[in-house]
């Protein structure tokens, strides 16, 4: 057994042997000029050998892994037991001897830093920064051994355990190494980031600097000087008032001392040293191949790097290698799905769209570089995006205002990207038959797909699906007549809002006129689930069965009451292909996971009377008609009023004829996706049976082309699949930006408004009216327990959230636009709604009373929970 390794024996491939910090330091010692202080690593074998003597150690770790990350009391109790047991463990003689001998070679009388190095620490996907312990100025072999034990024990601090549980790390697989280094008595120390941690800009190096040991900065005892460097220029410097510093104590340990008043506002580093340190940071980044979070110290005029790890919070940059700057806009913010997608889902969506898309961080972005290469087309794009999502429009204008980020081309050369449709031709006649014809053609196409795909398998199935996506699906989805209908409905609504505000002073008048529009497949879905509740409500045993439900596949359970099965059968036949995040083909559909619907069904049973769906629709019809007649009366009283009233009535009819179709193309698309998915899963099952794949769902971590090759060759790269699974796990914790540049800068935009009440949260007004009520902050429809009058607050809604809309009084989302799902359905149901409210789910607490002003576009928090 090897219990100790020198830095010269360690590199970045040995995380399992010495932990993340130790592996990085071994690798870092190979970087010229890094000046890594001498030291050695206590291996994970030493940890395993020691804890083998701890009573019931494995059983207690198993118990820890079964806890929920939110169960703080249980985590605190069990983690404290484990930590105490490890710290009190007897270190085997051979382990202690190896550590003492290595310390003697380092210098038995020299002070050391003893630092934890877990195998899940300082990784590319999770930093674990500050989760385990570090001890400075440790003097003597006995003290080193004691602090090695403490580092081992810090694997079980409450904060470290919670972090692992929250990020789905298996504690049973995590081991602890320890780094022992010669102590550097630094005049100054700090943190260097080779990318701006706030904006993500990879061209900017940021340096935090304070006097004394770095512990003062890490623990938050002092404000740091902050320098930002781009190239050879310090672009900003902020000199802080530094009142204290941490310094070593001769007998061991550290203390906090006050800094002399005359030095408190002194710059820690001279400009030349800032530039020298920034260059060392870039050299370190180049060695590791990714942006680095670096701990540095300065002693005797020399910079020393004491730690370097990947920055795990940066959003990845799309991979393009043409030497040009690029600008990307988020697809997810326009599609109401900002969650990370798996590779199969990304590749299917890329084939579906004709726009130039790039993927990064499990999300898709449209490359708009060509459109922003001329001032005119760039301004038009920003204005168009800003109309539906003001934050995205503002973020894009921020890039455009810089003027020189994208190489300019003559206006005639800056074409719109493929897939961006030109202006619609002359308006259609207001004829409901056009919509009926489009839907019938789509249904016939879907029926043909369902019939023909059954005969396909093997490589031919993949060829069939790719051909259908690029041929028939695109033909149905992007049919010019279909886009004309959608545009006609949007234009008519915009006309009503503009003219009625001009003539009558009414804001967002089209909202009330758009209630209970016929043919909105998504709005009809919400009402249909009310009918499901009506069918189950009269049967107490069926209700009780759903209340005690534990099996997700309950419809195939022999104990499932026939009333439940019958009630859901028709609903799932029509809507079973839908789910949260439905543009990702890998997401579980309602047909596959019907239990997702149960909380909403039970809520409908409790909160509504029989016949609520029909009554709600009729109420919307009457209310829309009442608003129409009121508006027409007011118009006729104006000069030239009859002509204005006649034109307005024609536009109202146009909205009510065409606006409902807005939701249908996506419904048609996900219907085809579900057919593809069922066929692909059948093929995946054959691959599992042939021992090509370990699990059917492994196909989700392959692109469509990669899956085609696996089916053809009957060979899969399991290491690649596992790597993709790990990457997906890390992507889920990232927040996708609305606009992203090729420098890595993530821009979110801002509302530039001065018309807000004090403390109000700005957003986009998408459905008129004002409502006060209890905020229900939700992230998962399956956890929804709503009461009448509640206001739904969530990150985004897609069609799968529609069943909740029948039971809420208002809507607030972080993401969305004027014609995205939440806005369309809120208007259909007559719900006041404000969307695009940044950080709404963090700022608004569940249970708080809030006011939603869907006419003026803001939210007010009225009371604490």
């Amino acid at each position: 057994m090897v219990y100790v390794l020198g830095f010269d024996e360690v590199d970045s491939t040995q995380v399992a042997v010495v932990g993340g910090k130790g592996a990085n330091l071994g690798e870092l010692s190979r970087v010229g000029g890094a000046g890594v202080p001498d030291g050695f690593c206590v291996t994970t074998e030493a940890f395993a050998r020691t804890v083998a003597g701890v009573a019931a150690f494995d059983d207690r770790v198993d118990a820890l892994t079964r806890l929920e990350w939110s169960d703080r009391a249980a985590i605190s109790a069990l983690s404290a037991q484990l930590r105490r047991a490890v710290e009190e463990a007897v270190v085997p003689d051979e382990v202690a001897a190896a550590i003492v001998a290595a310390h003697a070679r380092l210098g038995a009388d020299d002070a050391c830093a003893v630092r934890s190095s877990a195998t899940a620490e300082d990784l590319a996907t999770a930093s674990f920064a500050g989760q385990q312990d570090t001890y400075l100025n440790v003097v003597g072999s006995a003290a080193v051994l004691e602090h090695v034990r403490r580092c081992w024990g810090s694997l079980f601090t409450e904060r470290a355990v919670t972090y692992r549980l929250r990020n789905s790390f298996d504690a049973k697989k995590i081991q602890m190494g320890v780094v022992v280094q010669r102590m550097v008595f630094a005049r100054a120390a700090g943190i260097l980031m080779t990318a701006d941690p706030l904006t993500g800009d990879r061209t900017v190096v940021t340096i935090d600097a304070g006097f004394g040991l770095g512990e003062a900065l890490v623990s938050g005892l002092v404000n740091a000087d902050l320098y930002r460097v781009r190239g050879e220029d310090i672009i900003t410097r902020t000199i802080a008032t530094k009142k204290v510093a941490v310094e070593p104590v001769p007998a061991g340990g550290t203390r906090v001392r006050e800094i002399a008043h005359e030095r408190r506002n002194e710059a820690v580093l001279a400009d030349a040293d800032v530039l020298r340190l920034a260059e060392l940071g870039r050299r370190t980044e180049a060695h590791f191949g990714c942006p680095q979070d670096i701990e540095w110290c300065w002693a005797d005029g020399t910079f020393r790097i004491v730690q370097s790890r990947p920055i795990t919070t940066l959003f990845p940059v799309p991979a393009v290698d043409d030497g040009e700057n690029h600008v990307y806009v988020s697809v997810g913010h326009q599609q109401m799905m900002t969650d990370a997608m798996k590779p199969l889902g990304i590749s299917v969506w890329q084939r579906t769209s004709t726009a130039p898309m790039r993927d990064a961080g499990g999300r898709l972005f449209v490359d708009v570089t060509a459109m922003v290469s001329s001032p005119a087309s760039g301004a038009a794009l920003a204005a168009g995006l800003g109309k539906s999502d003001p934050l995205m429009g503002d973020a894009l204008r921020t890039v455009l205002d810089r003027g020189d980020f994208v190489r300019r081309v003559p206006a005639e050369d800056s074409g719109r990207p493929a897939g961006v449709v030109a202006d619609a031709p002359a308006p259609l006649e207001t004829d409901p038959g056009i919509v009926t014809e489009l839907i019938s053609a789509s249904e016939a196409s879907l029926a043909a797909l369902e019939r023909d795909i059954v005969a396909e398998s093997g490589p031919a199935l993949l060829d069939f699906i790719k051909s259908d996506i690029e041929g028939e699906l695109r033909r149905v989805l992007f049919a010019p007549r279909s886009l004309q209908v959608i545009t006609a409905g949007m234009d008519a609504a915009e006309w009503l809002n503009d003219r009625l505000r001009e003539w009558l002073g009414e804001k967002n008048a089209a909202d009330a006129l758009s209630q209970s529009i016929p043919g909105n497949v998504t709005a009809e879905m919400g009402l249909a689930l009310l009918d499901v509740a009506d069918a189950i409500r009269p049967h107490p045993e069926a209700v009780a069965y759903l209340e005690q439900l534990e099996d997700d596949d309950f419809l195939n359970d022999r104990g499932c009451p026939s009333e439940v099965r019958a009630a859901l059968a028709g609903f799932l036949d029509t809507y079973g292909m839908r789910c949260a995040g439905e543009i990702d083909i890998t997401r579980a559909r309602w047909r596959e996971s019907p239990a997702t619907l149960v909380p909403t069904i039970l809520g409908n049973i409790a909160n509504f009377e029989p016949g609520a769906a029909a009554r709600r629709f009729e109420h919307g019809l009457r209310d829309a008609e009442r608003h129409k007649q009121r508006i027409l009366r007011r118009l006729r009283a104006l000069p030239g009023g009859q002509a204005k009233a006649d034109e307005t009535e024609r536009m109202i009819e146009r909205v009510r004829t065409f606006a409902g179709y807005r939701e249908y193309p996506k419904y048609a698309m996900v219907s085809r996706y579900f057919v593809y998915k069922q066929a692909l899963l059948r093929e995946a099952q054959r691959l599992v049976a042939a021992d090509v794949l370990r699990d059917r769902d492994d196909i989700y971590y392959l692109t469509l082309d990669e899956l085609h090759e696996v089916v053809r060759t009957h060979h899969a790269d399991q290491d690649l699949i596992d790597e993709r699974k790990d990457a997906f796990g890390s992507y889920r914790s990232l927040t996708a930006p609305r606009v992203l540049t090729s420098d890595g800068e993530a821009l979110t935009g801002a509302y530039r408004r001065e018309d807000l009440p004090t403390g109000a949260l700005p957003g986009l007004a998408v459905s008129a009216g004002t409502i006060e009520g209890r905020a229900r902050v939700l992230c998962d429809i399956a956890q929804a327990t709503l009461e009448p009058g509640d206001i739904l607050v969530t990150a985004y809604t897609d069609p799968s959230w529609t069943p909740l809309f029948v039971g809420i009084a208002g809507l607030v989302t972080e993401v969305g636009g004027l014609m995205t799902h939440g806005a369309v359905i809120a208007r259909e149901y007559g719900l006041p709604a404000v969307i695009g409210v940044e950080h709404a789910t963090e700022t608004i607490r569940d249970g708080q009373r809030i006011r939603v002003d869907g006419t003026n576009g803001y939210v007010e928090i009225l009371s604490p929970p």
Side-chain angles (χ1 to χ4, degrees):
M1 294 290 184
V2 177
Y3 299 127
V4 168
L5 290 171
F7 285 170
D8 59 342
E9 301 174 277
V10 173
D11 60 29
S12 60
T13 66
Q14 292 172 277
V15 172
V17 178
V18 295
K21 186 183 279 96
N24 282 350
L25 282 169
E27 189 69 37
L28 189 62
S29 66
R30 292 162 170 75
V31 177
V36 177
D38 293 340
F40 62 90
C41 298
V42 180
T43 67
T44 55
E45 286 284 357
F47 171 76
R49 176 76 177 83
T50 301
V51 299
V54 175
F57 178 79
D58 290 340
D59 291 341
R60 284 189 273 188
V61 172
D62 284 343
L64 204 57
T65 63
R66 292 193 293 270
L67 296 178
E68 294 292 331
W69 70 264
S70 55
D71 190 350
R72 295 184 61 182
I75 291 173
S76 177
L78 191 50
S79 63
Q81 291 176 19
L82 272 164
R83 182 173 191 177
R84 186 166 54 251
V86 172
E87 289 182 353
E88 294 174 354
V90 175
V91 179
D93 291 344
E94 62 272 26
V95 174
I99 295 171
V100 169
H103 179 236
R105 289 192 294 273
L106 188 62
D109 297 327
D110 292 340
C112 295
V114 182
R115 314 169 71 192
S116 62
S117 179
T119 54
E121 186 175 345
D122 294 353
L123 306 180
T125 55
S127 71
F128 276 79
Q131 301 305 314
Q132 283 88 219
D133 289 348
T134 287
Y135 301 95
L136 302 179
N137 200 29
V138 178
V139 179
S141 294
V144 167
L145 276 174
E146 176 190 347
H147 286 87
V148 166
R149 265 204 313 265
R150 290 186 184 180
C151 283
W152 286 338
S154 72
L155 186 63
F156 302 104
T157 62
E158 183 178 343
R159 64 180 182 271
V161 170
T162 302
Y163 186 97
R164 288 196 295 271
L165 290 172
R166 191 165 191 170
N167 289 278
S168 302
F169 283 91
D170 187 349
K172 293 179 290 187
K173 297 180 180 179
I174 297 174
Q175 301 290 309
M176 180 67 92
V178 178
V179 170
V180 180
Q181 284 181 280
R182 182 174 287 116
M183 184 72 187
V184 176
F185 297 100
R187 174 192 174 277
I191 307 294
L192 180 153
M193 299 273 195
T194 63
D196 190 320
L198 297 181
T199 68
D201 192 338
R202 272 51 163 193
T203 69
V204 173
V205 172
T206 68
I207 298 171
D208 287 1
F211 291 121
L213 302 179
E215 181 66 17
L217 290 184
V218 174
S219 60
L221 286 175
V222 298
N223 296 322
D225 290 357
L226 173 62
Y227 307 88
R228 297 175 71 246
V229 180
R230 179 182 281 121
E232 298 301 316
D233 298 318
I234 301 173
I235 55 177
T236 63
R237 63 170 62 73
T238 304
I239 306 303
T241 300
K242 300 165 287 290
K243 297 181 180 180
V244 298
V246 173
E247 64 180 18
V249 176
T254 62
R255 69 184 176 193
V256 177
R257 68 167 177 85
E258 288 194 3
I259 295 173
H261 284 273
E262 63 272 15
R263 294 194 62 206
R264 290 182 177 183
N265 293 306
E266 179 184 312
V268 174
L269 297 175
D271 286 359
D273 292 322
V274 170
L275 294 175
R276 187 156 58 97
L277 180 57
E279 195 280 328
L280 178 56
R282 292 193 195 96
R283 203 183 319 147
T284 303
E285 177 186 83
H287 181 87
F288 284 100
C290 64
Q292 294 290 298
D293 172 355
I294 296 168
E295 294 182 20
W296 59 270
C297 59
W298 189 32
D300 301 323
T302 300
F303 285 111
R304 292 182 177 273
I305 306 301
V306 295
Q307 185 168 330
S308 186
R309 56 182 170 235
I311 305 175
T312 61
T313 56
L314 297 176
F315 198 87
V317 180
V320 179
D321 190 22
D322 60 4
E324 298 287 341
N325 288 340
H326 288 259
V327 181
Y328 308 95
V329 297
S330 167
V331 172
H333 284 82
Q334 299 168 69
Q335 288 295 326
M336 297 298 91
M337 217 299 270
T338 55
D339 294 348
M341 298 171 65
K342 297 184 180 76
L344 183 63
I346 287 174
S347 66
V348 169
W349 182 255
Q350 284 177 308
R351 283 185 180 273
T352 301
S353 174
T354 57
M357 289 191 184
R358 301 283 182 179
D359 67 284
R363 278 78 167 187
L364 282 166
F365 296 84
V366 176
D367 188 339
V368 297
T369 307
M371 292 192 71
V372 301
S373 60
S374 83
S377 60
L381 178 63
L385 292 173
K387 184 176 288 187
S388 63
D389 185 341
L391 293 174
M392 183 176 286
D394 183 76
L396 189 57
R397 277 189 292 272
T398 299
V399 178
L400 296 176
D401 289 346
R402 294 171 183 168
D404 60 352
F405 183 74
V406 173
R407 183 164 53 87
R408 296 301 190 189
V409 299
E412 59 270 17
D413 295 337
S414 60
R416 65 180 77 240
V420 177
V421 180
D423 294 337
L428 302 169
E429 290 189 20
T430 306
D431 178 7
I434 297 172
V435 174
T436 302
E437 180 183 323
L438 285 168
I439 292 174
S440 296
S442 179
E443 289 175 342
S445 176
L446 178 65
L449 170 66
E450 291 172 331
R451 180 190 66 235
D452 296 342
I453 202 170
V454 173
E456 305 294 343
S457 64
L461 171 65
L462 275 297
D463 288 333
F464 178 91
I465 290 174
K466 288 192 280 189
S467 176
D468 191 81
I469 292 172
E470 296 175 7
E472 186 64 6
L473 173 55
R474 283 188 181 179
R475 186 191 68 78
V476 171
L477 198 57
F478 302 119
R481 199 165 179 80
S482 176
L483 296 172
Q484 279 183 271
V485 168
I486 294 170
T487 302
M490 293 170 62
D491 287 348
E494 185 175 1
W495 187 97
L496 287 168
N497 283 333
D498 290 346
R499 296 300 189 279
L500 295 179
R501 183 165 188 168
E502 176 188 347
W503 293 337
L504 302 177
E506 295 202 12
K507 292 183 178 180
N508 305 324
D511 295 354
L513 299 167
S514 301
Q515 297 177 78
S516 296
I517 285 178
N520 186 320
V521 67
T522 305
E524 291 169 352
M525 178 175 68
L527 299 177
L529 207 59
L530 284 173
D531 292 335
V532 171
D534 285 353
I536 296 173
R537 189 183 292 108
H539 306 282
E541 71 286 355
V543 176
Y545 175 83
L546 292 178
E547 289 174 337
Q548 302 299 319
L549 191 67
E550 295 182 357
D551 186 3
D552 192 44
D553 192 28
F554 66 92
L555 290 177
N556 292 320
D557 175 16
R558 286 183 295 178
C560 178
S562 59
E563 295 84 2
V564 171
R565 210 178 264 114
L568 276 169
F571 181 87
L572 292 175
D573 283 345
T574 307
Y575 304 110
M577 79 295 292
R578 311 218 81 154
C579 67
E582 62 191 10
I583 67 170
D584 182 352
I585 195 173
T586 72
R587 290 288 191 100
R589 311 284 139 172
W590 287 342
R591 170 71 74 180
E592 299 167 306
S593 182
T596 305
L597 298 167
V598 169
T600 305
I601 294 171
L602 291 172
N604 289 346
I605 290 171
N607 297 327
F608 293 93
E609 296 294 327
R615 284 196 305 276
R616 188 181 188 98
F617 190 79
E618 288 301 318
H619 178 270
L621 283 177
R622 290 194 302 272
D623 201 43
E625 181 64 23
R626 180 174 60 81
H627 279 281
K628 170 184 170 181
Q629 295 305 326
R630 179 183 59 79
I631 286 169
L632 295 179
R633 282 196 303 272
R634 291 189 65 194
L635 287 173
R636 292 186 186 108
L638 300 175
Q642 188 58 52
K644 291 175 179 175
D646 290 346
E647 183 66 8
T648 297
E649 189 167 17
R650 285 194 291 272
M651 286 298 177
I652 292 173
E653 182 184 3
R654 198 165 179 78
V655 166
R656 297 193 65 80
T657 298
F658 291 139
Y661 179 76
R662 172 71 178 78
E663 292 287 302
Y664 189 82
K666 189 173 187 180
Y667 171 82
M669 181 191 75
V670 297
S671 296
R672 296 185 89 85
Y673 275 14
F674 191 39
V675 176
Y676 302 152
K677 181 181 184 181
Q678 290 173 303
L680 289 173
L681 287 178
R682 288 193 294 270
E683 192 65 34
Q685 202 59 59
R686 287 190 280 270
L687 293 172
V688 171
D691 292 327
V692 176
L693 294 176
R694 289 186 307 209
D695 184 82
R696 185 192 70 165
D697 291 355
D698 282 353
I699 66 168
Y700 296 157
Y701 299 92
L702 300 170
T703 67
L704 205 56
D705 285 337
E706 290 168 344
L707 178 57
H708 190 289
E709 188 65 10
V710 168
V711 171
R712 186 185 70 81
T713 63
H714 265 220
H715 173 73
D717 185 341
Q718 195 62 53
D719 289 340
L720 174 66
I721 292 171
D722 291 341
E723 180 183 315
R724 296 262 179 86
K725 289 179 179 180
D726 290 341
F728 177 72
S730 68
Y731 294 157
R732 293 174 69 183
S733 65
L734 299 177
T735 299
R738 283 176 163 82
V739 174
L740 181 67
T741 74
S742 50
D743 283 344
E745 185 177 7
L747 299 103
T748 57
Y751 290 103
R752 306 186 188 278
R753 297 174 54 179
E754 298 178 355
D755 61 340
L756 298 173
T758 302
L761 309 177
L764 180 64
V766 296
S767 186
T770 301
I771 192 70
E772 295 182 11
R774 181 181 68 156
R776 291 310 318 274
V777 182
L778 298 176
C779 60
D780 186 351
I781 185 177
Q783 298 172 350
T785 54
L786 298 168
E787 297 179 3
D790 283 348
I791 297 170
L792 174 61
V793 181
T794 190
Y796 65 83
T797 67
D798 62 9
S800 71
W801 287 75
T802 303
L804 297 187
F805 280 50
V806 300
I808 61 176
L811 174 70
V812 178
T813 70
E814 295 177 336
V815 174
L818 195 60
M819 293 305 297
T820 51
H821 166 265
V824 171
I825 303 305
R827 291 192 291 270
E828 170 86 13
Y829 286 173
L831 304 173
V834 179
I835 65 178
V837 180
E838 280 281 89
H839 310 299
T841 58
E842 300 169 19
T843 307
I844 301 170
R845 302 292 184 183
D846 188 57
Q848 281 184 308
R849 189 165 183 82
I850 63 173
R851 179 186 296 125
V852 177
D853 189 328
T855 303
N856 296 296
Y858 59 81
V859 179
E860 294 176 280
I861 300 174
L862 303 177
S863 68

